[in-house]
Amino acid sequence: MTNRIFRAIFLVALAVMLAVSTLIMGVMYSYSSFEMMEELQREAGYVARGIEIEGIEYLEGVDHSDTRITWIHKNGTVLYDSVADVSEMDNHGNREEVQEALEEGAGESERRSTTLSKRTLYYATQLRDGSILRMSVEIMSVLALFMTVTFPLMLILAVMVGVSLFLAFQTAKNITNPINEIDLENPDRAVVYEELTPLLRRIAVQNREIHRQMAELKRRKEEFDTITSNMQEGLLVLDAEGDVLSYNEGVQNLLGISQVEEGKNVFALNRSEAFRRGVEGALKGEHREERLEVNGKICEIIANPVFRDGENAGVIIILFDATEKEEREKLRREFTANVSHELKTPLTSISGFAEIMKSGMVRPEDMGNFAGKIYDEAQRLIEMVQDIIKLSKLDEKDGILEKEWVSMDALVLEVRERLLPTAEKKNVTLIAQTEPLQFFGVKQVLTEMVYNLCDNAIRYNKPDGEVRLTLRREKEKLLLEVADTGIGIAKEDQSRIFERFYRVDSSRSAENGGTGLGLSIVKHGAALHGGKVSIESQPGKGTTMRVVCPLQQKNEK
């Protein structure tokens, strides 16, 4: 504030000085020109009389002082000059003052020097014989005159500015010091002059209101950040121009970008057609829903406009990861189609056999054979429905599936005993190697897992083949391994064998029986216990299935 006062005073003083100087210079210039011209006219009268009386002898005897005298013949030839050699001077007939004197009897003019520091006044008068007498004198120009008086003016200006600055500094100090010393956090405690008291009261009121609003905004922001940062969904807030105002980490995860710059246009994040349609539609005031595929994920985009006073003030975009939903929907459709197909086959067989028996086309001695086929198909149908129910329970993690401590070595040996007759029929050797191991899980599911792995290994083995069942602890994990010497599985089929109803060879699977759901039950059972299933296989050399699940201590349940 003090600096602004000083600058203002200096500029005012400078302007005043320039105005006064210009006025003085103008007056002095006009006055000096007028006086000097009158002086030249008087001198010219005296000199003219002397020339007419004595001729050139008079000029040679005159003290010329500062005035230059030039006598010019009426044809322009210089007859005499008090300063220069007339033999070196050119014809003066074309000079302005000479021509005017020849025409009117007297003439005057003014010429400036090339340096602009001086100017010359000329006065010419015509004598009785027609010759011209010219008188001239040099005087200072306006610029020279100004430079002459500049120093005194600058001295006066310096004194004026010094006094003004001193007074201004004292005044500004008295005004600004109390203001600068105010504690803006506690303005009501400041000691100031009376005129500032209302301002300080107003500041104190505003401070309290600002602190209240800041606390409220901070609380709301913390709530908003806590909510949005823990959202799996992506949240984008845009202004009416489509620039990013706010976002959460979900946006980066779903769109597969490392950084979102606030203030940048939203189309810098994704330039796909679906994303553009959603954003542009919302900017136009429309609710839009789009499906976006990015980085192997499927996102659902919901874009809603935000209206303020009837105008679109921005857009809120929510992104959902719909990958799992889409996959589940796809699996549901495939499962429905597969179930329909798999159920249709035994039902068709049952219906066909029953229709033949009903029509009386079966001989009495063949009735038992047909009834047996109907029974086998019905059992296959029942087994398939039971497996579907088991999978449904595993998918939904049904509350009925309660976990308990299970002796896994005893469970493995029990399953082996159950499958020994089946193995003997296929002429397959079933070997079990176990060690004492307690596992916290669902016994029914664990039994189904071991049974299905061993059953598959027996079904798809070769005559005189072998199935080796191994159970052991490995680095605080349960390892269940079933290895066979069977037909093996091709590399391209290994990633699909855990799908429901998927069969590598449908004709061979039909011969060996089974529902096509066994390995799917194994996969879901392992996931229920936090484990995974892996496979190693080569066609013609056998297959090894491994289930690895984390172990729990009894005090951890």
Side-chain angles (χ1 to χ4, degrees):
M1 182 176 179
T2 304
N3 290 336
R4 288 199 296 269
I5 293 174
F6 290 166
R7 286 197 297 269
I9 292 172
F10 177 76
L11 292 174
V12 170
L14 182 60
V16 171
M17 185 199 74
L18 291 175
V20 171
S21 300
T22 303
L23 181 61
I24 293 173
M25 292 301 102
V27 173
M28 291 179 65
Y29 178 77
S30 299
Y31 179 77
S32 62
S33 298
F34 179 77
E35 287 293 319
M36 191 58 65
M37 188 59 71
E38 286 191 344
E39 181 66 24
L40 285 177
Q41 291 177 5
R42 287 194 295 270
E43 287 189 20
Y46 299 145
V47 174
R49 186 174 293 275
I51 293 174
E52 291 175 349
I53 297 173
E54 300 181 14
I56 195 170
E57 289 83 3
Y58 171 78
L59 293 175
E60 292 175 350
V62 174
D63 184 8
H64 306 296
S65 66
D66 295 329
T67 304
R68 180 178 180 180
I69 301 174
T70 306
W71 186 22
I72 305 169
H73 191 273
K74 59 182 178 181
N75 61 6
T77 303
V78 178
L79 302 175
Y80 173 82
D81 189 89
S82 61
V83 174
D85 185 358
V86 295
S87 62
E88 297 177 359
M89 296 178 69
D90 57 0
N91 191 287
H92 278 38
N94 60 349
R95 304 300 171 91
E96 178 184 352
E97 66 278 4
V98 173
Q99 290 182 354
E100 187 176 348
L102 289 171
E103 294 174 1
E104 300 179 5
E108 58 185 48
S109 66
E110 177 181 337
R111 285 192 284 276
R112 299 176 182 275
S113 66
T114 56
T115 61
L116 299 180
S117 61
K118 290 185 179 183
R119 60 195 176 93
T120 305
L121 295 179
Y122 295 92
Y123 177 78
T125 182
Q126 190 174 31
L127 303 181
R128 292 177 181 176
D129 59 359
S131 61
I132 303 298
L133 173 65
R134 188 185 70 175
M135 309 289 291
S136 63
V137 66
E138 289 184 348
I139 61 173
M140 287 189 294
S141 65
V142 176
L143 178 61
L145 186 61
F146 176 79
M147 295 302 295
T148 304
V149 299
T150 295
F151 179 74
L153 289 175
M154 292 300 293
L155 182 60
I156 295 171
L157 177 62
V159 174
M160 290 173 59
V161 170
V163 173
S164 300
L165 290 177
F166 176 76
L167 295 176
F169 179 78
Q170 292 298 323
T171 303
K173 184 177 179 181
N174 294 334
I175 294 173
T176 58
N177 280 355
I179 297 176
N180 292 333
E181 293 172 0
I182 294 174
D183 182 4
L184 295 179
E185 293 296 325
N186 301 286
D188 49 347
R189 299 180 184 176
V191 179
V192 295
Y193 41 88
E194 185 178 354
E195 290 78 3
L196 280 180
T197 302
L199 174 62
L200 297 182
R201 290 175 182 169
R202 184 62 179 170
I203 292 174
V205 172
Q206 289 294 326
N207 276 351
R208 289 192 291 270
E209 181 63 19
I210 290 171
H211 288 159
R212 185 190 66 78
Q213 292 177 356
M214 289 295 290
E216 179 65 16
L217 288 174
K218 184 178 180 182
R219 183 185 65 79
R220 291 185 180 181
K221 186 178 185 304
E222 289 176 350
E223 290 179 354
F224 180 78
D225 290 344
T226 301
I227 293 171
T228 56
S229 62
N230 289 282
M231 288 172 58
Q232 292 183 348
E233 297 77 15
L235 176 65
L236 268 173
V237 181
L238 314 179
D239 63 14
E241 302 299 324
D243 296 332
V244 177
L245 296 179
S246 181
Y247 67 95
N248 68 346
E249 291 183 7
V251 173
Q252 298 173 255
N253 296 332
L254 292 175
L255 295 182
I257 53 180
S258 59
Q259 185 178 4
V260 180
E261 294 187 32
E262 294 184 4
K264 294 290 185 180
N265 193 272
V266 69
F267 293 119
L269 307 182
N270 189 283
R271 300 182 183 276
S272 66
E273 180 67 17
F275 190 79
R276 185 185 61 79
R277 283 198 307 268
V279 174
E280 289 182 351
L283 289 172
K284 293 177 182 178
E286 305 170 2
H287 169 81
R288 299 300 293 265
E289 295 185 12
E290 298 289 342
R291 180 179 179 274
L292 175 67
E293 294 187 16
V294 56
N295 296 329
K297 294 181 180 180
I298 299 172
C299 293
E300 287 184 2
I301 303 173
I302 299 178
N304 284 304
V306 177
F307 293 101
R308 182 183 300 159
D309 298 330
E311 294 184 358
N312 192 353
V315 174
I316 293 178
I317 298 175
I318 300 178
L319 300 116
F320 297 92
D321 188 353
T323 307
E324 185 176 351
K325 177 183 174 182
E326 293 266 347
E327 290 177 353
R328 285 181 177 274
E329 182 63 23
K330 179 181 176 182
L331 289 174
R332 185 191 66 77
R333 290 193 298 268
E334 291 178 354
F335 180 69
T336 302
N338 289 333
V339 167
S340 301
H341 175 75
E342 295 293 336
L343 292 178
K344 182 179 179 181
T345 302
L347 285 173
T348 302
S349 298
I350 292 171
S351 177
F353 291 138
E355 184 177 358
I356 294 173
M357 294 171 66
K358 179 182 177 182
S359 64
M361 296 175 62
V362 181
R363 292 178 298 181
E365 60 269 24
D366 294 330
M367 291 291 287
N369 185 31
F370 273 79
K373 290 181 177 180
I374 291 175
Y375 177 80
D376 290 341
E377 293 296 335
Q379 288 300 115
R380 180 183 171 193
L381 191 61
I382 291 170
E383 184 180 351
M384 190 181 302
V385 171
Q386 288 176 341
D387 284 346
I388 291 172
I389 292 172
K390 292 173 188 175
L391 275 173
S392 298
K393 289 183 177 181
L394 290 174
D395 281 340
E396 299 173 5
K397 297 181 173 57
D398 200 311
I400 298 174
L401 302 177
E402 294 183 1
K403 291 185 178 181
E404 58 183 303
W405 285 104
V406 180
S407 177
M408 285 299 297
D409 53 315
L411 185 149
V412 167
L413 294 174
E414 180 185 340
V415 171
R416 176 182 176 276
E417 291 299 321
R418 287 172 56 190
L419 287 172
L420 275 176
T422 304
E424 290 174 358
K425 285 183 182 180
K426 297 279 291 185
N427 199 21
V428 173
T429 303
L430 182 58
I431 303 171
Q433 295 178 334
T434 65
E435 63 180 54
L437 198 153
Q438 295 291 316
F439 185 77
F440 190 68
V442 181
K443 185 174 182 180
Q444 177 186 353
V445 174
L446 293 170
T447 302
E448 290 289 339
M449 291 169 60
V450 178
Y451 185 90
N452 285 325
L453 288 173
C454 293
D455 186 50
N456 275 358
I458 294 170
R459 285 177 187 271
Y460 299 100
N461 216 315
K462 299 176 181 177
D464 299 322
E466 179 182 282
V467 174
R468 185 173 297 275
L469 177 60
T470 305
L471 173 73
R472 68 175 182 270
R473 178 194 297 267
E474 190 174 274
K475 296 181 180 180
E476 300 304 318
K477 291 183 179 180
L478 174 149
L479 174 63
L480 177 67
E481 186 175 275
V482 179
D484 64 59
T485 58
I487 60 175
I489 303 171
K491 189 71 174 178
E492 60 270 17
D493 293 316
Q494 292 180 15
S495 62
R496 300 194 61 192
I497 60 172
F498 297 103
E499 296 178 11
R500 301 172 186 186
F501 298 112
Y502 182 79
R503 292 185 175 92
V504 176
D505 188 338
S506 298
S507 60
R508 184 181 293 272
S509 298
E511 293 174 4
N512 293 323
T515 63
L517 297 171
L519 290 180
S520 185
I521 292 174
V522 173
K523 177 184 176 182
H524 283 72
L528 177 67
H529 294 92
K532 293 183 178 180
V533 185
S534 61
I535 178 174
E536 290 181 9
S537 182
Q538 292 184 13
K541 294 185 179 181
T543 301
T544 300
M545 305 289 292
R546 291 188 184 86
V547 178
V548 180
C549 296
L551 289 171
Q552 278 185 301
Q553 301 297 327
K554 285 196 174 184
N555 58 359
E556 291 180 353
K557 66 177 182 178

